[in-house]
Amino acid sequence: KQEVTQIPAALSVPEGENLVLNCSFTDSAIYNLQWFRQDPGKGLTSLLLIQSSQREQTSGRLNASLDKSSGRSTLYIAASQPGDSATYLCAAYGNNRLAFGKGNQVVVIP
Amino acid sequence: GAVVSQHPSRVICKSGTSVKIECRSLDFQATTMFWYRQFPKQSLMLMATSNEGSKATYEQGVEKDKFLINHASLTLSTLTVTSAHPEDSSFYICSAMEGHGYTFGSGTRLTVV
Protein backbone atom coordinates (compact mmCIF):
# COMPACT_ATOMS: atom_id res chain seq x y z
CA LYS A 1 0.00 0.00 0.00
CA GLN A 2 1.38 3.39 -1.02
CA GLU A 3 2.09 5.75 1.86
CA VAL A 4 2.78 9.41 1.26
CA THR A 5 4.43 11.61 3.89
CA GLN A 6 4.80 15.37 3.82
CA ILE A 7 7.27 17.24 5.96
CA PRO A 8 6.98 19.68 7.59
CA ALA A 9 3.30 19.49 8.51
CA ALA A 10 3.20 23.23 9.03
CA LEU A 11 5.55 26.14 8.49
CA SER A 12 5.58 29.93 8.56
CA VAL A 13 7.92 32.04 6.49
CA PRO A 14 8.35 35.79 6.00
CA GLU A 15 7.24 37.20 2.69
CA GLY A 16 9.91 36.98 0.01
CA GLU A 17 11.55 33.83 1.28
CA ASN A 18 11.68 30.72 -0.86
CA LEU A 19 9.53 27.79 0.24
CA VAL A 20 10.66 24.17 0.12
CA LEU A 21 8.03 21.50 0.69
CA ASN A 22 8.95 17.84 0.85
CA CYS A 23 6.96 14.74 -0.10
CA SER A 24 8.07 11.13 0.19
CA PHE A 25 6.35 7.98 -1.00
CA THR A 26 7.03 4.34 -0.22
CA ASP A 27 6.26 2.66 -3.55
CA SER A 28 8.36 3.97 -6.42
CA ALA A 29 6.16 2.31 -9.03
CA ILE A 30 4.12 5.42 -9.67
CA TYR A 31 2.55 6.64 -12.90
CA ASN A 32 2.75 10.30 -11.93
CA LEU A 33 2.90 12.66 -8.99
CA GLN A 34 0.69 15.70 -8.60
CA TRP A 35 0.90 18.72 -6.31
CA PHE A 36 -2.28 20.48 -5.24
CA ARG A 37 -3.16 23.58 -3.32
CA GLN A 38 -6.08 23.65 -0.90
CA ASP A 39 -7.47 26.79 0.71
CA PRO A 40 -9.51 26.43 3.93
CA GLY A 41 -12.92 24.88 3.25
CA LYS A 42 -12.23 24.61 -0.46
CA GLY A 43 -11.48 21.94 -3.01
CA LEU A 44 -8.13 21.13 -4.54
CA THR A 45 -6.42 23.14 -7.25
CA SER A 46 -3.86 21.30 -9.33
CA LEU A 47 -0.48 23.05 -9.39
CA LEU A 48 1.92 20.73 -11.14
CA LEU A 49 1.83 17.22 -12.56
CA ILE A 50 5.02 15.26 -13.04
CA GLN A 51 4.97 12.13 -15.14
CA SER A 52 7.06 9.20 -13.93
CA SER A 53 9.47 9.72 -16.85
CA GLN A 54 10.05 13.38 -15.94
CA ARG A 55 12.41 14.88 -13.38
CA GLU A 56 10.69 18.23 -12.86
CA GLN A 57 7.96 20.61 -13.89
CA THR A 58 7.85 24.38 -13.66
CA SER A 59 5.06 26.91 -13.69
CA GLY A 60 5.84 30.51 -12.87
CA ARG A 61 7.29 30.69 -9.37
CA LEU A 62 6.62 27.00 -8.78
CA ASN A 63 8.99 24.18 -9.49
CA ALA A 64 8.47 20.54 -8.58
CA SER A 65 11.08 17.81 -8.81
CA LEU A 66 10.64 14.06 -8.78
CA ASP A 67 13.17 11.40 -7.82
CA LYS A 68 11.41 8.06 -8.19
CA SER A 69 14.37 5.97 -7.09
CA SER A 70 14.49 7.67 -3.71
CA GLY A 71 10.74 8.11 -3.46
CA ARG A 72 10.82 11.88 -3.14
CA SER A 73 9.32 14.98 -4.62
CA THR A 74 9.99 18.58 -3.67
CA LEU A 75 7.89 21.64 -4.37
CA TYR A 76 9.76 24.94 -4.52
CA ILE A 77 7.92 28.23 -4.36
CA ALA A 78 10.16 31.18 -5.13
CA ALA A 79 9.77 34.59 -3.50
CA SER A 80 6.76 33.64 -1.39
CA GLN A 81 3.79 35.99 -1.12
CA PRO A 82 0.97 36.17 1.46
CA GLY A 83 -1.36 34.80 -1.20
CA ASP A 84 0.67 31.58 -1.17
CA SER A 85 -0.68 30.81 2.30
CA ALA A 86 -2.57 27.52 1.94
CA THR A 87 -2.18 23.79 2.43
CA TYR A 88 -0.16 22.01 -0.22
CA LEU A 89 -0.96 18.36 -0.91
CA CYS A 90 1.19 15.83 -2.68
CA ALA A 91 -0.47 12.84 -4.36
CA ALA A 92 1.16 9.81 -5.96
CA TYR A 93 -0.76 7.90 -8.61
CA GLY A 94 -0.09 4.22 -9.17
CA ASN A 95 -1.98 0.90 -9.23
CA ASN A 96 -5.13 2.79 -10.26
CA ARG A 97 -5.08 4.68 -7.02
CA LEU A 98 -4.25 8.22 -5.94
CA ALA A 99 -2.56 8.32 -2.52
CA PHE A 100 -2.40 11.64 -0.66
CA GLY A 101 -0.14 13.01 2.01
CA LYS A 102 -1.59 15.01 4.90
CA GLY A 103 -0.30 18.24 3.46
CA ASN A 104 2.10 21.08 4.26
CA GLN A 105 0.21 23.97 5.87
CA VAL A 106 1.98 27.17 4.85
CA VAL A 107 1.62 30.66 6.27
CA VAL A 108 3.48 33.49 4.57
CA ILE A 109 3.87 36.43 6.92
CA PRO A 110 3.65 39.90 5.34
CA GLY B 1 -8.53 23.27 -18.41
CA ALA B 2 -10.79 20.53 -17.15
CA VAL B 3 -13.41 21.66 -14.65
CA VAL B 4 -15.37 19.60 -12.16
CA SER B 5 -18.36 21.33 -10.61
CA GLN B 6 -19.63 20.16 -7.23
CA HIS B 7 -22.87 21.20 -5.50
CA PRO B 8 -23.85 22.16 -2.93
CA SER B 9 -20.78 23.72 -1.37
CA ARG B 10 -22.32 23.66 2.06
CA VAL B 11 -25.31 21.84 3.54
CA ILE B 12 -26.77 21.48 6.99
CA CYS B 13 -29.28 18.71 7.57
CA LYS B 14 -31.12 17.11 10.43
CA SER B 15 -30.09 13.76 11.77
CA GLY B 16 -31.97 10.97 9.99
CA THR B 17 -32.46 12.79 6.71
CA SER B 18 -30.67 12.17 3.40
CA VAL B 19 -28.44 14.54 1.48
CA LYS B 20 -27.46 14.39 -2.18
CA ILE B 21 -24.21 15.83 -3.50
CA GLU B 22 -23.68 16.33 -7.23
CA CYS B 23 -20.45 16.22 -9.18
CA ARG B 24 -20.34 17.25 -12.85
CA SER B 25 -17.53 17.27 -15.37
CA LEU B 26 -18.18 20.46 -17.35
CA ASP B 27 -16.01 20.21 -20.41
CA PHE B 28 -15.06 16.56 -20.63
CA GLN B 29 -16.58 13.15 -20.23
CA ALA B 30 -15.70 11.16 -17.15
CA THR B 31 -16.42 7.45 -17.20
CA THR B 32 -14.93 7.26 -13.74
CA MET B 33 -15.27 9.68 -10.85
CA PHE B 34 -13.95 9.43 -7.34
CA TRP B 35 -15.45 10.42 -4.01
CA TYR B 36 -13.24 11.42 -1.09
CA ARG B 37 -13.84 12.37 2.49
CA GLN B 38 -11.56 14.71 4.41
CA PHE B 39 -11.37 15.22 8.16
CA PRO B 40 -9.78 18.38 9.62
CA LYS B 41 -6.01 18.45 9.14
CA GLN B 42 -6.13 14.99 7.60
CA SER B 43 -5.45 13.60 4.18
CA LEU B 44 -8.14 12.83 1.66
CA MET B 45 -9.53 9.34 2.06
CA LEU B 46 -10.96 7.61 -0.98
CA MET B 47 -14.48 6.40 -0.27
CA ALA B 48 -15.53 4.96 -3.61
CA THR B 49 -14.94 4.90 -7.31
CA SER B 50 -17.98 5.76 -9.40
CA ASN B 51 -18.29 4.04 -12.77
CA GLU B 52 -20.65 5.25 -15.46
CA GLY B 53 -23.35 2.71 -16.17
CA SER B 54 -22.26 0.24 -13.52
CA LYS B 55 -22.02 -0.17 -9.78
CA ALA B 56 -19.60 1.85 -7.75
CA THR B 57 -16.58 0.27 -6.12
CA TYR B 58 -16.38 1.03 -2.42
CA GLU B 59 -13.27 1.11 -0.27
CA GLN B 60 -12.98 -1.21 2.68
CA GLY B 61 -14.95 0.05 5.63
CA VAL B 62 -17.25 2.32 3.62
CA GLU B 63 -20.91 1.34 3.91
CA LYS B 64 -22.42 1.19 0.45
CA ASP B 65 -25.97 1.36 1.79
CA LYS B 66 -25.05 4.49 3.69
CA PHE B 67 -23.26 6.28 0.88
CA LEU B 68 -25.22 5.67 -2.31
CA ILE B 69 -23.41 6.51 -5.53
CA ASN B 70 -25.05 6.91 -8.90
CA HIS B 71 -23.17 7.62 -12.13
CA ALA B 72 -25.98 7.79 -14.66
CA SER B 73 -24.20 9.77 -17.35
CA LEU B 74 -20.70 10.52 -18.57
CA THR B 75 -20.78 13.91 -16.88
CA LEU B 76 -22.65 13.39 -13.63
CA SER B 77 -22.05 11.39 -10.49
CA THR B 78 -24.03 11.78 -7.28
CA LEU B 79 -23.32 10.79 -3.70
CA THR B 80 -26.29 10.43 -1.36
CA VAL B 81 -25.65 10.23 2.35
CA THR B 82 -28.64 8.32 3.68
CA SER B 83 -30.02 8.57 7.20
CA ALA B 84 -27.29 11.02 8.08
CA HIS B 85 -25.87 11.15 11.60
CA PRO B 86 -23.59 13.72 13.23
CA GLU B 87 -20.57 11.47 12.67
CA ASP B 88 -21.17 11.80 8.92
CA SER B 89 -20.34 15.50 9.21
CA SER B 90 -17.28 16.03 7.07
CA PHE B 91 -15.88 17.56 3.91
CA TYR B 92 -16.69 15.53 0.79
CA ILE B 93 -14.82 16.07 -2.49
CA CYS B 94 -15.25 14.48 -5.88
CA SER B 95 -12.71 14.21 -8.66
CA ALA B 96 -12.26 12.92 -12.16
CA MET B 97 -9.25 12.02 -14.22
CA GLU B 98 -8.75 14.07 -17.35
CA GLY B 99 -5.68 13.44 -19.40
CA HIS B 100 -2.90 12.37 -17.07
CA GLY B 101 -4.00 14.23 -13.98
CA TYR B 102 -6.88 14.56 -11.57
CA THR B 103 -9.28 17.49 -11.35
CA PHE B 104 -11.21 18.09 -8.16
CA GLY B 105 -14.51 19.69 -7.33
CA SER B 106 -14.74 22.52 -4.82
CA GLY B 107 -16.00 20.21 -2.08
CA THR B 108 -19.13 20.00 0.06
CA ARG B 109 -19.14 20.76 3.76
CA LEU B 110 -21.81 18.56 5.33
CA THR B 111 -22.99 19.31 8.85
CA VAL B 112 -25.52 16.98 10.43
CA VAL B 113 -27.31 18.41 13.46
Side-chain angles (χ1 to χ4, degrees):
Chain A
K1 178 186 173 185
Q2 178 75 273
E3 292 188 5
V4 179
T5 304
Q6 292 187 246
I7 296 172
L11 70 160
S12 297
V13 297
E15 181 177 0
E17 267 199 17
N18 297 329
L19 277 163
V20 180
L21 308 178
N22 296 301
C23 170
S24 61
F25 46 95
T26 54
D27 186 353
S28 62
I30 61 170
Y31 180 69
N32 61 45
L33 186 135
Q34 200 164 355
W35 281 93
F36 296 90
R37 168 182 173 143
Q38 186 176 30
D39 292 290
K42 304 292 184 184
L44 276 64
T45 300
S46 179
L47 298 174
L48 290 167
L49 170 70
I50 314 174
Q51 299 291 346
S52 61
S53 58
Q54 298 174 323
R55 299 280 294 185
E56 67 175 350
Q57 279 289 329
T58 298
S59 176
R61 294 184 294 113
L62 276 60
N63 173 277
S65 65
L66 174 64
D67 184 342
K68 275 184 54 178
S69 59
S70 66
R72 293 180 184 174
S73 177
T74 302
L75 178 66
Y76 299 88
I77 303 177
S80 62
Q81 302 169 359
D84 294 328
S85 298
T87 296
Y88 294 83
L89 293 162
C90 160
Y93 179 66
N95 292 323
N96 295 316
R97 185 171 294 272
L98 191 63
F100 281 91
K102 291 185 179 181
N104 306 106
Q105 187 175 2
V106 172
V107 174
V108 179
I109 304 165
Chain B
V3 177
V4 171
S5 175
Q6 185 173 344
H7 293 280
S9 58
R10 190 179 297 267
V11 59
I12 300 173
C13 71
K14 291 186 177 180
S15 188
T17 61
S18 296
V19 172
K20 181 185 283 189
I21 303 170
E22 289 190 351
C23 181
R24 293 180 185 272
S25 57
L26 294 188
D27 48 4
F28 66 102
Q29 294 182 332
T31 55
T32 304
M33 290 188 177
F34 306 88
W35 288 95
Y36 293 84
R37 183 172 180 175
Q38 186 180 33
F39 293 101
K41 298 190 184 297
Q42 295 296 314
S43 179
L44 275 72
M45 292 181 57
L46 180 65
M47 298 175 63
T49 301
S50 167
N51 304 297
E52 188 268 334
S54 64
K55 292 183 179 180
T57 305
Y58 289 82
E59 294 298 299
Q60 191 172 9
V62 177
E63 300 176 59
K64 59 177 136 182
D65 294 331
K66 173 88 172 155
F67 299 100
L68 298 179
I69 290 174
N70 184 277
H71 194 151
S73 76
L74 287 170
T75 59
L76 174 64
S77 176
T78 61
L79 168 68
T80 301
V81 183
T82 63
S83 187
H85 289 106
E87 57 265 31
D88 298 325
S89 298
S90 191
F91 192 61
Y92 295 87
I93 312 178
C94 67
S95 77
M97 196 170 195
E98 200 279 330
H100 295 288
Y102 283 80
T103 299
F104 283 79
S106 55
T108 298
R109 169 70 60 191
L110 170 64
T111 303
V112 185
V113 297

